[in-house]
Amino acid sequence: MSDSDDSDGSRGDSPDLDDTRYYLNRELSHLEFQKRVLHEALDERTPLLERVRFLGLFTKNLDEFFMKRVGGLKQQIDAGVTDPTVDGRTPREQWREILDTTGPMFDRQTDCYREVIRPALAEAGVEIVDYDGLTAAERERMRAYFEESVLPTLTPLAFDPAHPFPFISNLSLSLGVFVRHDADEDPIFTRIKVPQNRPRLVPVEEGSRYVLLEDLIEAHLDLLMPNVEVLDTAPFRITRNAEVHRDGEVAEDLIEAIEEVIEQRRFATAVRLEIGADAPEAMIDLLRNQLDLDPEEVFRRAGPLDYRDFSTLVDLDRPDLKRERWSPLPHPRFAEGPNADVSLHGADLFDEIASDDVLLHHPYHSFDGTVQRFLDAAANDPDVLAIKAAIYRTASDSQVIQRLIDAADNGKQVAVMVELKARFDEQNNLQWVRKLEENGIHVAYGTVGLKTHTKTALVVREEDDGVKLYSHVATGNYHSETAKGYVDLGLLTADRDVGQDLVTVFNFFTGPSLDEEFRKLLVAPVTMRERFTDLVRREARYARAGRPARIVAKMNALEDPEMVKELYWASMAGVDIDLLVRDICRLRPGIEGVSDTVTVRSVVGRFLEHSRIYYFENGAGPDDPDDGGERRTPGSRPATDDGGEPQYFVGSADWMTRNLDYRVEAVAPVTDPDLREQLRFVLEVMLHDNRSGWEMNADGSYDQRTPGSDPVWGTQEILMAAARAAHECDDDRGIDTDHPASPGDLLVTGSAGGTGDADATDDATD
């Protein structure tokens, strides 16, 4: 259906939504998110060592951004691509704006460390000192440590007529040195790789005083390169393109193709050079020429070039400088221990799921005590016939994989879809593929032209009344470690229709085609786009008819131009739209006559918001004459004869073109009233967050929401308290939606939600 092809003809005089001014740039929107991540390192309310962790996260995130997104743009530029994106920018224009934007961001990170974090650490008794600031006794100890433990690991690589320019690996920290044997010689460039198997923060006094490894190496070049004159030194670091491809349609062996991609990345073209602010121009010119970099791709930086290793400070035994430790809790429905009414194993666990659907909230609920137990039970229950699972990312010591191997050993049919093209996890996934196949398990590697991104598992069990299907549909990966730090949801259900849909999806991984008919699941790339589009358009029809109409959508990214367009049409029809978008958002809220009814919010906290929730009000109930026109609590209207029942969905897909058209994804409806209440609670808490919440302006910038004189409402703190309350009182919902986590009535109606005065800020991962 075209934009103007709506059944009531209401779009005839509407604005041209193909106009580039209605769309934000994907890459620049992502950088706005990274500014919010960096702000956590600057926020004085955040405990000091947590602020150090965010410094490292910012480095990691920008590294991946340059490897993937900037690398991809450089490939397009080199290929002569000039087609603009929906926001009107060509690849070269995007590339230039990215470089102009990231320079000040790196400067801000450096200033944050040098002017705020480092002095605050010193005041708290954790010093990171310059080598020149060490006492004579400390220097003597450090020289002995260098000679014994560091020097043997170093390999100086000279660049001169007898030696080619050394290979420099991606993201490795190096020391560039100009030396000469006598005054008549030209300087010789030597590269020294800072070893990654030595502590980056070298303890002078354990727990209280440290020196950087690169400073230690620079101070002892006389031991590494005796009998030469050291003229200049500078730390530097290069970033290489990770966007290397091999055509999956012509690859005879997908494993071989993935191995080739991994190898190609080692030698891929450079896309960024970070170098010390005092580096001599001659060294910069030499590196630029050898790495084929433009001047704009060089970032001069004072202070450390890589903050990832600083996260080791978070492990210090300094609870006074950290947040209160959070340990994921058992779900009351599956609880073990003195507070549990029942300890579920095997048949009991499946009976529990069959009695009612279960909604898992990670990291508030333990992955090991829920998803892992589900797979443990399936592997060992004699009545289980088969297990199928789709693995996108998993831990290097995955117990999920081990349980699947155990299941095969126990005589069950096991089929596993492992996505070999999961970026940066290819090597890990290759290792698991080999281990699974060694144990006789059928493994599907992926599909031509599509990534498998769905996070689903299916257990087939023979029971007295026939074969039953138990399904797990999740928003996050089967990864025990990320489940401790990523906010995700998982639906466990014995719904036959959901199970049959998963049977169809898993058959696609090993069969010739993907069915286009599903009973309940929204499945990409076949039904999901059409179904979401229909749901948005239905809300618009309700709004035009004067009935309640509201959309609340929580996702990682809103990038697909067609979905943005549909939301614009819905807003123009009068639909209240609240978007909770962690990262990229192309849509501009608050444009007069186009997106007046749209708000876009983002929550950045101690955990990475990764879950996807989609709510459609579906005309549920008449308007309340006393609501003053304010927005309603999601799902607060009961279903009546005048409207349908609100609909909730959870699953793996964002509203990105890649998710809707080029990945296998699954999103499940949530129909159980108790589970819907939990989702409503999550959405409402996030909409009222005035501690970790940010609100987007029409130009794509964000203002941090602050409480003013109102109570502080932080999403993740409230959900931790609600999970703890449910655990303590054996509330089988798992999240106590009645828990008074904050002073006052949390679940208020209205759109303001106690935002107070907003502080404008200048300027944080599938």
Side-chain angles (χ1 to χ4, degrees):
M1 180 184 293
S2 66
D3 295 339
S4 60
D5 187 22
D6 205 6
S7 57
D8 63 4
S10 60
R11 298 183 177 181
D13 297 325
S14 298
D16 176 14
L17 293 185
D18 290 325
D19 193 316
T20 59
R21 64 194 173 105
Y22 293 121
Y23 301 89
L24 293 167
N25 178 260
R26 169 192 171 132
E27 318 305 350
L28 299 178
S29 180
H30 177 78
L31 291 178
E32 284 293 327
F33 168 61
Q34 298 304 338
K35 291 178 184 178
R36 300 194 293 279
V37 171
L38 181 57
H39 181 83
E40 289 298 302
L42 290 158
D43 195 328
E44 294 181 354
R45 299 172 299 173
T46 304
L48 182 56
L49 291 183
E50 185 73 3
R51 295 165 71 181
V52 173
R53 186 174 75 89
F54 274 100
L55 275 182
L57 282 174
F58 179 79
T59 294
K60 176 179 179 292
N61 292 349
L62 266 293
D63 287 349
E64 291 191 3
F65 178 77
F66 270 84
M67 286 190 289
K68 295 193 300 188
R69 304 306 307 173
V70 178
L73 287 172
K74 289 247 344 199
Q75 283 186 328
Q76 293 180 52
I77 293 168
D78 292 343
V81 176
T82 57
D83 295 339
T85 49
V86 66
D87 54 278
R89 292 173 173 85
T90 66
R92 182 170 293 278
E93 288 170 337
Q94 294 178 70
W95 174 74
R96 289 192 178 280
E97 285 195 61
I98 286 168
L99 298 180
D100 289 343
T101 302
T102 51
M105 293 170 68
F106 293 135
D107 291 343
R108 193 167 190 227
Q109 182 190 29
T110 298
D111 291 344
C112 174
Y113 169 73
R114 295 169 70 88
E115 298 176 14
V116 180
I117 300 296
R118 187 178 176 183
L121 284 170
E123 187 176 339
V126 182
E127 292 183 282
I128 301 173
V129 295
D130 295 330
Y131 190 83
D132 291 343
L134 298 177
T135 66
E138 289 171 338
R139 288 184 199 170
E140 186 176 345
R141 291 204 313 273
M142 287 295 97
R143 188 172 182 85
Y145 168 79
F146 175 83
E147 194 165 7
E148 178 182 337
S149 299
V150 179
L151 179 60
T153 71
L154 301 179
T155 305
L157 299 173
F159 175 47
D160 58 25
H163 301 92
F165 186 78
F167 171 73
I168 302 171
S169 54
N170 183 40
L171 300 182
S172 61
L173 184 61
S174 300
L175 195 64
V177 186
F178 274 141
V179 300
R180 65 185 176 192
H181 292 282
D182 57 58
D184 296 330
E185 284 189 349
D186 291 331
I188 297 173
F189 174 78
T190 300
R191 180 254 182 156
I192 303 166
K193 181 177 180 178
V194 177
Q196 295 173 312
N197 55 4
R198 297 285 78 195
R200 173 84 181 290
L201 295 173
V202 181
V204 180
E205 293 179 29
E206 192 68 54
S208 63
R209 198 162 162 82
Y210 299 87
V211 65
L212 288 173
L213 181 56
E214 57 265 36
D215 292 347
L216 186 66
I217 295 171
E218 183 178 3
H220 294 96
L221 291 176
D222 61 311
L223 294 176
L224 179 64
M225 296 184 294
N227 305 318
V228 296
E229 179 186 3
V230 175
L231 301 176
D232 276 304
T233 64
F236 70 92
R237 184 170 178 261
I238 69 165
T239 309
R240 293 187 181 275
N241 179 17
E243 283 293 304
V244 292
H245 301 286
R246 179 168 173 179
D247 189 345
E249 295 188 30
V250 301
E252 296 178 2
D253 186 333
L254 185 55
I255 290 181
E256 179 185 334
I258 295 300
E259 289 174 334
E260 184 176 319
V261 164
I262 295 169
E263 182 66 15
Q264 286 175 350
R265 277 195 191 139
R266 294 184 60 239
F267 303 98
T269 56
V271 296
R272 177 180 60 164
L273 168 64
E274 298 169 275
I275 194 164
D278 297 330
E281 288 298 330
M283 187 179 296
I284 294 175
D285 290 343
L286 183 150
L287 289 169
R288 267 206 324 105
N289 292 332
Q290 293 297 323
L291 297 169
D292 194 23
L293 288 165
D294 290 334
E296 301 96 323
E297 295 173 293
V298 177
F299 294 88
R300 286 178 172 268
R301 303 192 60 179
L305 300 183
D306 184 351
Y307 292 91
R308 293 174 299 171
D309 298 319
F310 283 63
S311 60
T312 58
L313 295 176
V314 180
D315 296 329
L316 291 175
D317 185 19
R318 292 294 304 270
D320 56 314
L321 303 180
K322 303 179 186 181
R323 287 190 172 107
E324 181 183 357
R325 188 171 182 270
W326 173 256
S327 296
L329 299 168
H331 193 290
R333 295 271 300 273
F334 301 149
E336 294 180 315
N339 294 328
D341 294 330
V342 63
S343 177
L344 296 174
H345 295 282
D348 291 336
L349 184 143
F350 292 111
D351 287 345
E352 184 67 28
I353 298 171
S355 68
D356 282 303
D357 293 351
V358 184
L359 189 65
L360 310 174
H361 300 253
H362 307 299
Y364 312 110
H365 296 143
S366 162
F367 180 88
D368 292 343
T370 54
V371 178
Q372 190 65 58
R373 286 191 62 203
F374 173 66
L375 295 173
D376 288 349
N380 294 293
D381 189 315
D383 293 324
V384 168
L385 305 175
I387 305 175
K388 302 184 180 186
I391 306 294
Y392 189 73
R393 301 186 196 278
T394 191
S396 57
D397 59 347
S398 176
Q399 290 302 303
V400 169
I401 298 290
Q402 188 57 53
R403 290 299 82 77
L404 295 172
I405 293 172
D406 292 346
D409 289 343
N410 291 333
K412 304 175 193 317
Q413 296 294 316
V414 180
V416 184
M417 165 63 217
V418 179
E419 179 49 77
L420 292 183
K421 300 185 290 290
R423 186 151 30 196
F424 304 129
D425 266 351
E426 298 99 336
Q427 188 65 51
N428 188 48
N429 287 359
L430 277 172
Q431 292 172 358
W432 284 123
V433 162
R434 293 188 175 107
K435 188 166 183 63
L436 288 165
E437 291 183 332
E438 287 170 3
N439 284 270
I441 294 173
H442 180 80
V443 181
Y445 305 149
T447 53
V448 173
L450 299 173
K451 271 189 180 180
T452 299
H453 191 250
T454 180
K455 293 89 166 60
T456 49
L458 178 69
V459 173
V460 183
R461 188 170 186 265
E462 187 167 28
E463 301 182 1
D464 292 340
D465 54 351
V467 172
K468 218 161 196 178
L469 305 177
Y470 294 88
S471 305
H472 178 241
V473 181
T475 68
N477 297 302
Y478 291 101
H479 198 303
S480 56
E481 290 307 307
T482 58
K484 297 174 185 176
Y486 286 23
V487 175
D488 273 306
L489 296 165
L491 176 68
L492 284 168
T493 180
D495 185 298
R496 185 78 187 182
D497 289 338
V498 172
Q500 285 296 141
D501 283 348
L502 282 185
V503 169
T504 301
V505 171
F506 279 106
N507 286 344
F508 165 62
F509 297 142
T510 56
S513 63
L514 179 59
D515 201 328
E516 296 187 2
E517 296 293 331
F518 291 91
R519 304 179 185 193
K520 286 189 176 177
L521 292 182
L522 281 59
V523 177
V526 288
T527 66
M528 187 179 292
R529 176 184 288 279
E530 180 181 6
R531 186 73 178 111
F532 273 136
T533 299
D534 288 344
L535 289 166
V536 173
R537 290 180 179 180
R538 185 184 65 187
E539 294 300 314
R541 289 195 296 272
Y542 280 134
R544 286 192 292 267
R547 295 168 68 175
R550 189 178 186 192
I551 297 169
V552 184
K554 178 184 185 296
M555 66 194 87
N556 298 331
L558 172 56
E559 174 272 339
D560 183 70
E562 293 304 315
M563 289 306 299
V564 172
K565 194 178 296 185
E566 291 295 338
L567 292 170
Y568 281 148
W569 288 125
S571 178
M572 287 186 278
V575 180
D576 284 336
I577 302 173
D578 286 297
L579 302 173
L580 294 158
V581 186
R582 183 196 76 201
D583 194 337
I584 299 163
C585 183
R586 282 198 185 275
L587 180 146
R588 295 182 184 268
I591 301 175
E592 185 177 357
V594 175
S595 56
D596 307 83
T597 66
V598 182
T599 67
V600 179
R601 296 186 177 94
S602 175
V603 170
V604 179
R606 67 189 292 177
F607 307 128
L608 180 74
E609 289 291 338
H610 192 252
S611 61
R612 292 89 165 180
I613 307 172
Y614 299 98
Y615 167 83
F616 301 91
E617 190 154 89
N618 193 22
D623 284 326
D624 184 345
D626 297 324
D627 71 2
E630 294 182 330
R631 297 188 177 194
R632 299 173 295 284
T633 299
S636 61
R637 305 281 196 235
T640 71
D641 292 339
D642 296 326
E645 190 173 279
Q647 290 183 288
Y648 291 86
F649 299 84
V650 299
S652 59
D654 295 312
W655 282 352
M656 301 182 73
T657 303
R658 70 184 189 188
N659 297 102
L660 298 172
D661 296 337
Y662 302 110
R663 290 185 170 185
V664 181
E665 305 271 13
V667 168
V670 178
T671 57
D672 183 280
D674 285 340
L675 273 54
R676 289 182 171 193
E677 174 65 14
Q678 294 174 45
L679 294 176
R680 182 190 70 82
F681 181 79
V682 170
L683 293 176
E684 200 60 31
V685 167
M686 294 192 74
L687 291 174
H688 292 83
D689 191 314
N690 58 19
R691 166 57 184 90
S692 304
W694 296 73
E695 187 154 351
M696 185 182 186
N697 301 306
D699 64 359
S701 64
Y702 285 76
D703 294 332
Q704 189 175 40
R705 306 179 83 201
T706 58
S709 59
D710 294 320
V712 176
W713 294 341
T715 296
Q716 296 175 1
E717 290 74 20
I718 288 173
L719 290 172
M720 284 188 287
R724 189 181 294 115
H727 175 67
E728 291 171 353
C729 67
D730 290 329
D731 183 340
D732 64 8
R733 294 174 297 179
I735 292 289
D736 181 3
T737 58
D738 302 317
H739 181 65
S742 296
D745 182 9
L746 176 65
L747 296 178
V748 295
T749 57
S751 60
T755 58
D757 297 325
D759 289 332
T761 61
D762 295 330
D763 301 5
T765 261
D766 291 328

